[in-house]
Amino acid sequence: MSAAGTPAAPATPETVEALIRHRLSTALGGWRGSIETALPTVVFVALWTWSQDIRLAAGAAMGIALVLAVVRLAQKSSLTHVLGAVFATGIAAFFALRSGRAEAAFLPGILTNAAYLVGTVFSILARWPAVGFLVGAGDPRAAEDPFGWRKDRGMVAVCSRLTWVLVGVYAIRLLIMVPLYLAAEVAWLGVAKIALGWPLWVASIAIMGWMLVAGHTPLEPEPEVVRDPEAEQA
């Protein structure tokens, strides 16, 4: 509160890093979403290890994902993470049942990470770094100019460096998951998927946070709008 009793205006970020920290804080999910994503995998691996029955394991995993969705609906809360879990579990169950091999349930995730790896590298090379879209999503002016962040060269440079962290995440997942998949190590695939999910994501966010705290890239001033008095009077 100010001396006059009115709320103080929020401080305006002075660096690219400070602005990105603020924007990313509004775009990331929390612990509940990570549990909703991991729980179907835990159920699948546990039941398959106990029964060696792919149908039972896949059905139970899909069932728990649907229960989580119903709970979200009953609470009238966001379905973003749980719908992703339902979709991913459904695809994984389809692959496992179709092939008759439990390890095939992890193939969609491996292929998705491979696609993300290629996509993030390409986004950096094309000067449209993937992290920039997260930054843009947190901009209140995104509805008017969703790609406004690209007008600041410093913003693009910092987002490119942060996107390399995502490249590392996808590369680590593939380096660990692919050999386990080829060796048909279902239990270890489940452990790896959970460990390389939210925990690795948190570690990557911590690295990004350190990069943002250490950096001091100045924001480029927005261009002033030149008004035409005659046009306004008309």
Side-chain angles (χ1 to χ4, degrees):
M1 297 290 288
S2 64
T6 56
T12 302
E14 297 180 353
T15 66
V16 169
E17 288 82 4
L19 180 60
I20 292 177
R21 285 199 303 271
H22 173 71
R23 298 275 177 81
L24 288 181
S25 68
T26 65
L28 300 175
W31 62 269
R32 182 175 178 179
S34 67
I35 292 177
E36 291 170 339
T37 302
L39 194 55
T41 298
V42 173
V43 171
F44 177 85
V45 172
L47 283 180
W48 184 86
T49 302
W50 171 68
S51 66
Q52 300 291 305
D53 187 331
I54 293 179
R55 290 184 178 276
L56 174 62
M62 192 64 196
I64 195 67
L66 291 174
V67 168
L68 293 172
V70 171
V71 171
R72 283 277 192 175
L73 283 172
Q75 296 177 341
K76 297 181 179 180
S77 57
S78 173
L79 290 170
T80 301
H81 291 286
V82 72
L83 286 181
V86 170
F87 178 76
T89 303
I91 296 295
F94 173 79
F95 271 66
L97 294 172
R98 183 80 173 178
S99 67
R101 297 182 295 112
E103 65 271 19
F106 299 90
L107 183 58
I110 291 174
L111 294 177
T112 299
N113 277 281
Y116 284 161
L117 176 63
V118 173
T120 48
V121 171
F122 179 78
S123 75
I124 295 171
L125 297 179
R127 302 284 294 170
W128 283 80
V131 170
F133 292 95
L134 287 176
V135 174
D139 189 346
R141 299 166 299 177
E144 299 176 2
D145 187 5
F147 306 123
W149 58 273
R150 292 200 73 250
K151 297 175 182 178
D152 189 318
R153 290 169 296 180
M155 181 77 72
V156 174
V158 173
C159 288
S160 294
R161 292 195 291 270
L162 295 176
T163 303
W164 278 116
V165 177
L166 295 183
V167 172
V169 168
Y170 301 133
I172 289 171
R173 287 175 178 171
L174 291 173
L175 287 172
I176 295 175
M177 297 285 287
V178 170
L180 292 174
Y181 172 79
L182 295 176
E185 294 285 352
V186 177
W188 281 111
L189 278 167
V191 172
K193 182 175 180 179
I194 295 170
L196 299 175
W198 186 249
L200 183 59
W201 180 243
V202 169
S204 70
I205 295 301
I207 293 173
M208 290 184 187
W210 173 80
M211 293 170 65
L212 291 173
V213 170
H216 300 283
T217 307
L219 280 167
E220 294 183 1
E222 295 184 5
E224 295 184 0
V225 178
V226 179
R227 296 184 177 181
D228 185 351
E230 296 182 358
E232 292 181 354
Q233 293 176 0

